[in-house]
Amino acid sequence: MISRPYDEIKQLIESYLEKEFSMKSDLIWSKPPSIELGDISFPLFNIAKELKIKPIELGEKIISEISFPKIIEKVNLQGGFLNLAFNRSIFVTQVLQTILEQTKYGQNSSLNSERIIVEHTSSNPTGPLHIGNFRGSVLGDVLGRLFSFLGAAVNVRYYVNDLGRQIAPLVIGYFLLKETKFEIEEKGDLWLGKVYASMYTFLEIQQLKKKLIVLGWKLQSSASLYSLDDSDLKTIPDFLNILPVENKEKDNTHKWFSKLARIQSSLIERIPDVYEKLNKLTSSRIENLESMTNQYVKNYQEGKDKSIVEKFREVTKMALDGHVETLNLFEIYHDDFDWESDVAWSGEVQTMLTELEDKKYLRHDGKARLLRNDTIAEELGYKTKYSINYEIPDTIIINSEGITLYPCRDIVYHLHKLEKFNASLCYNVIAKMQQLPQLSVRLALYGLNRIDTADKVHHFDYEYVSLIGRKMAGREFDYVTPDELFVLAQKEIKIIIEERDYSEEEQQKIIKKVAASSIKYHILKMDPQKSVAFDVKKAVDPNENSGSFLQYSYARALSILNRSSKHGINIQKILESTEKEKLIIEKQAEWELVKLMEELPSILVKAAKFLRPDSVANFSYSLASAFHKFYDACPVLKAENPKLVKSRVMIVLSITKCLESLFEVMGIETLEKM
RNA sequence: GGUCCCGUAGCUCAGCUGGAUAGAGCGUUUGCCUCCUAAGCAAAUGGUCGGGUGUUCGAAUCACCUCGGGAUCGCCA
């Protein structure tokens, strides 16, 4: 039998209100400010107002007319608050029994009827995962785990963006180096990040120089198109100064130039080997990187040139393998990987575009096409439904070269993925930056008369992660990766564990698991809506408010259980006997702990309802903290009398079950020893 | 300029479907391992909840205004 004292009391009062006043209510309970007042509190003001009586009168009526069950020990009225105190013995007996009866405490079937897609990470295959997109991985992972824990069928997908324009220079650079039999001595995706940063910079420098030439600047015959040499660094600013064009234009060009000069020198400093080698190769072997890039993208989008397809796939695969390796370190797994190129080659993008065109939902501007977001939203009731009363800007979906852009494929992809899984809901865990494109996808689905599908799609957005004092920039090879955090965290943990007596093998296992949980937890606990300045030192510090604190509480609990037999205590026997015998609570620390354990199921339901995976982390922290306090204040195996031993062993057994559930939801591994 | 998000202790952040005296961690100061793992516990320190007005019996929480920070607004994703 599942018994939840907090809910029971709430329902008891609610049903009284319904019977007595035919009033349907969803009562809110809170915790009294001080423990002397009780354990649970109901403010009566609102109900009293609705019934047009005084709160105190209502309270008195409730107290005199409801016959409270034995679990309620004390009832008192305090200025409009109905405060109830539990009989601790009955409460703890009931709650712990419930916890221990369930296979997984807190698991329920509230989402049984849902089929939910969670798409997350979907990072560009142009480098390693960094903590910015990794934030989405963690949030998405926990969201999926949470839904699944609450009974939903969950499908976790990764959308591989292998078609973006930005990959082409990477592919070109990759094969330039490959032909030279360049040795790769690091993780593939990290190495690709270096190639990408270099090639992209060459491309941009070429574009800058091209623009300058149009303005009348003279390129020296010996100079490279792809780098800014000493003479460029001098002549370009001089040239811009005397240029007879508008100030704004001049300014922008100047800014662009300075930015590229900065990036170039920072890349030379940070990744000299890859950068310089590629610079030479590109200068000597590639006549026009820009046109080659366009050619590559176009070819790959069409998917007909087999050698190009193979090249793009090889590079993308290498990056993706790196991402998966990183994710797996943190217990993050995907069910399916969908390649953007497959969507493009299916031919459905054209069908989709034609339909939108026929319905006049596309605006023309030369060869470019824009999705008329506002018109669609207005005509098809999106604005009314979601009470939007401002103008939604159009989004460009085909550029003036006639190349289809990312949203085109994403629209088709959405039709596919929801259909394939027969989903009732779909959460795209994607950075807040993508708000407008995400909205466009839904609006396009409206335009295609797939309103039911569109309404199932939700953008679970999360804010930007920066580094203290600077932004992360893939194009500048400037970011912090979860991989390097993992290494740093392990070092810190090693310092602590070396003081303990573990074998080398055990040490390694513990270090890895603690490092993973600490980093994951550190990212998870932050409100997704808050942009954060990431502090590497704090993220890897085991003494900070972190995952190791949680794992430690579990290890401590297990340590007690494992030692019980040495103290002549038989856990199995205790478990069997409790049904008849009441448990007791003596100290405040144990009482607080048991009350928190009672709350676990409702915390999970709330986290899923309000889409707050971070709240699971924060609750876990409170629970672990309460257990550490209990651990310190209440000896278990050496408790004063057998009755107390029994009760406390039950508490310890229960906390392990609570933590196991929470760890499962957060994708954190349990450790028996640490 | 439009839209979205954020502003709580020296720092990093919880709390926000309105509830009583605003909570952690770090930092600083001080205790606790002959006692189940000190990756822990206890105590001290620290706050005009950015500001204003309103709604309400009651506002960190809701509405409006305002200030500060960030993101985004046709050819990158």
Side-chain angles (χ1 to χ4, degrees), chain A residues 486 488-498 507 510-516 518 540-542 548 674:
Chain A
F486 193 67
L488 290 171
Q490 289 188 74
K491 270 189 201 157
E492 297 290 331
I493 296 156
K494 198 167 168 47
I495 297 169
I496 297 174
I497 205 164
E498 268 169 354
Q507 258 192 35
I510 294 169
I511 289 174
K512 282 216 164 106
K513 287 189 178 182
V514 175
S518 297
V540 301
D541 182 355
S548 63
M674 65 183 275

Coordinates of all heavy atoms in Angstrom, one line a residue, chain A residues 486 488-498 507 510-516 518 540-542 548 674, chain B residues 39:
Chain A
F486 N 36.7 16.9 -16.8 CA 36.8 15.5 -16.2 C 38.2 15.2 -15.8 O 38.4 14.6 -14.7 CB 36.4 14.6 -17.4 CG 36.1 13.2 -16.9 CD1 35.0 12.9 -16.0 CD2 36.9 12.1 -17.3 CE1 34.7 11.6 -15.6 CE2 36.6 10.8 -16.8 CZ 35.5 10.6 -16.0
L488 N 40.6 17.5 -14.9 CA 40.9 18.3 -13.8 C 40.2 17.8 -12.5 O 40.9 17.8 -11.4 CB 40.4 19.8 -14.1 CG 41.2 20.5 -15.1 CD1 40.5 21.8 -15.5 CD2 42.6 20.8 -14.7
A489 N 39.0 17.4 -12.6 CA 38.3 17.0 -11.5 C 38.9 15.7 -10.9 O 39.1 15.5 -9.7 CB 36.8 16.7 -11.8
Q490 N 39.4 14.8 -11.8 CA 40.0 13.6 -11.3 C 41.3 13.9 -10.5 O 41.5 13.2 -9.5 CB 40.4 12.7 -12.5 CG 39.1 12.1 -13.2 CD 39.5 11.1 -14.2 OE1 39.9 10.0 -13.9 NE2 39.4 11.5 -15.5
K491 N 42.0 14.9 -10.9 CA 43.2 15.3 -10.2 C 42.9 15.7 -8.8 O 43.5 15.3 -7.8 CB 43.9 16.4 -10.9 CG 44.9 16.0 -11.9 CD 45.7 17.2 -12.4 CE 46.3 16.9 -13.8 NZ 46.6 18.1 -14.6
E492 N 41.8 16.5 -8.7 CA 41.4 17.0 -7.3 C 41.0 15.9 -6.4 O 41.3 15.8 -5.2 CB 40.3 18.0 -7.5 CG 40.6 19.3 -8.2 CD 41.6 20.2 -7.5 OE1 41.5 20.2 -6.3 OE2 42.3 20.9 -8.1
I493 N 40.2 15.0 -7.0 CA 39.7 13.9 -6.2 C 40.8 12.9 -5.8 O 40.8 12.4 -4.7 CB 38.6 13.1 -7.0 CG1 37.4 14.1 -7.3 CG2 38.1 11.9 -6.3 CD1 36.6 13.7 -8.5
K494 N 41.8 12.8 -6.6 CA 42.9 11.9 -6.3 C 43.6 12.4 -5.1 O 44.0 11.5 -4.2 CB 43.9 11.9 -7.5 CG 44.8 10.7 -7.5 CD 45.5 10.6 -8.8 CE 46.7 9.7 -8.9 NZ 46.7 8.4 -8.4
I495 N 43.7 13.7 -4.9 CA 44.4 14.2 -3.7 C 43.7 13.7 -2.4 O 44.3 13.3 -1.5 CB 44.4 15.7 -3.7 CG1 45.2 16.2 -4.9 CG2 44.9 16.3 -2.4 CD1 45.0 17.7 -5.2
I496 N 42.4 13.7 -2.5 CA 41.6 13.2 -1.3 C 41.7 11.7 -1.1 O 41.9 11.2 0.0 CB 40.1 13.6 -1.4 CG1 40.0 15.2 -1.5 CG2 39.3 13.1 -0.3 CD1 38.6 15.7 -1.7
I497 N 41.6 11.0 -2.2 CA 41.4 9.6 -2.1 C 42.8 8.9 -1.7 O 42.8 7.8 -1.1 CB 40.8 9.0 -3.3 CG1 40.1 7.6 -3.0 CG2 41.8 8.8 -4.4 CD1 39.2 7.1 -4.0
E498 N 43.8 9.6 -2.0 CA 45.1 9.0 -1.7 C 45.4 8.8 -0.2 O 46.2 8.0 0.2 CB 46.3 9.8 -2.3 CG 46.6 9.3 -3.7 CD 47.5 10.3 -4.5 OE1 47.8 11.4 -4.0 OE2 47.9 9.9 -5.6
Q507 N 40.6 2.8 -6.6 CA 40.8 4.3 -6.7 C 40.4 4.8 -8.0 O 39.6 5.8 -8.1 CB 42.3 4.6 -6.5 CG 42.7 5.1 -5.2 CD 44.1 5.6 -5.2 OE1 44.6 6.2 -6.2 NE2 44.8 5.4 -4.1
I510 N 36.6 4.8 -8.4 CA 35.9 5.9 -7.6 C 36.2 7.2 -8.2 O 35.3 8.0 -8.3 CB 36.5 5.8 -6.1 CG1 36.0 4.5 -5.5 CG2 36.0 7.0 -5.3 CD1 36.7 4.2 -4.1
I511 N 37.4 7.5 -8.5 CA 37.8 8.8 -9.1 C 36.9 9.1 -10.3 O 36.4 10.2 -10.4 CB 39.3 8.8 -9.5 CG1 40.1 8.9 -8.2 CG2 39.6 10.1 -10.3 CD1 41.6 8.8 -8.4
K512 N 36.8 8.2 -11.2 CA 36.0 8.4 -12.4 C 34.6 8.7 -12.1 O 34.0 9.6 -12.7 CB 36.1 7.1 -13.3 CG 37.4 7.0 -14.1 CD 37.2 6.5 -15.5 CE 38.4 6.7 -16.3 NZ 39.2 5.5 -16.6
K513 N 34.0 7.9 -11.2 CA 32.6 8.1 -11.0 C 32.3 9.4 -10.2 O 31.3 10.1 -10.5 CB 32.0 6.9 -10.1 CG 31.9 5.6 -10.9 CD 31.2 4.6 -10.2 CE 31.0 3.3 -11.0 NZ 30.2 2.3 -10.3
V514 N 33.2 9.7 -9.3 CA 33.0 11.0 -8.6 C 33.2 12.2 -9.5 O 32.5 13.2 -9.5 CB 33.9 11.1 -7.4 CG1 33.8 12.4 -6.7 CG2 33.6 10.0 -6.4
A515 N 34.2 12.1 -10.4 CA 34.5 13.2 -11.3 C 33.3 13.4 -12.2 O 32.8 14.6 -12.4 CB 35.7 12.9 -12.2
A516 N 32.7 12.3 -12.7 CA 31.6 12.5 -13.6 C 30.4 13.1 -12.9 O 29.8 14.0 -13.4 CB 31.2 11.1 -14.2
S518 N 30.3 14.9 -10.2 CA 30.5 16.3 -9.8 C 30.3 17.3 -10.9 O 29.6 18.3 -10.7 CB 32.0 16.4 -9.3 OG 32.2 15.6 -8.2
V540 N 35.2 21.7 -10.4 CA 36.0 20.5 -10.1 C 36.4 20.4 -8.7 O 37.1 19.4 -8.3 CB 37.3 20.4 -11.0 CG1 36.9 20.5 -12.5 CG2 38.2 21.6 -10.7
D541 N 36.0 21.3 -7.8 CA 36.4 21.3 -6.4 C 35.5 20.3 -5.6 O 34.3 20.6 -5.5 CB 36.3 22.7 -5.8 CG 36.8 22.7 -4.4 OD1 37.0 21.7 -3.8 OD2 36.8 23.8 -3.8
P542 N 36.1 19.2 -5.1 CA 35.2 18.3 -4.4 C 34.6 18.8 -3.1 O 33.6 18.3 -2.6 CB 36.2 17.1 -4.1 CG 37.5 17.4 -4.7 CD 37.5 18.9 -5.1
S548 N 29.8 15.0 -5.4 CA 30.5 14.1 -4.5 C 29.9 14.0 -3.1 O 29.9 13.0 -2.4 CB 32.0 14.5 -4.4 OG 32.1 15.7 -3.8
M674 N 33.9 5.2 -0.9 CA 34.6 6.3 -1.5 C 35.5 7.0 -0.5 O 35.5 6.7 0.7 CB 33.7 7.3 -2.2 CG 32.7 8.0 -1.3 SD 31.7 9.1 -2.3 CE 32.7 10.6 -2.5
Chain B
rA39 P 36.8 13.0 4.4 OP1 36.3 11.7 4.4 OP2 38.2 13.3 3.8 O5' 35.8 13.9 3.6 C5' 36.0 15.3 3.4 C4' 35.2 15.8 2.2 O4' 35.7 15.0 1.1 C3' 33.7 15.5 2.3 O3' 33.0 16.5 1.7 C2' 33.6 14.2 1.6 O2' 32.3 14.0 1.0 C1' 34.6 14.3 0.5 N9 35.1 13.0 0.0 C8 35.3 11.9 0.7 N7 35.7 10.9 -0.1 C5 35.8 11.4 -1.3 C6 36.1 10.9 -2.6 N6 36.5 9.7 -2.8 N1 36.0 11.7 -3.7 C2 35.6 13.0 -3.5 N3 35.2 13.6 -2.3 C4 35.3 12.8 -1.3

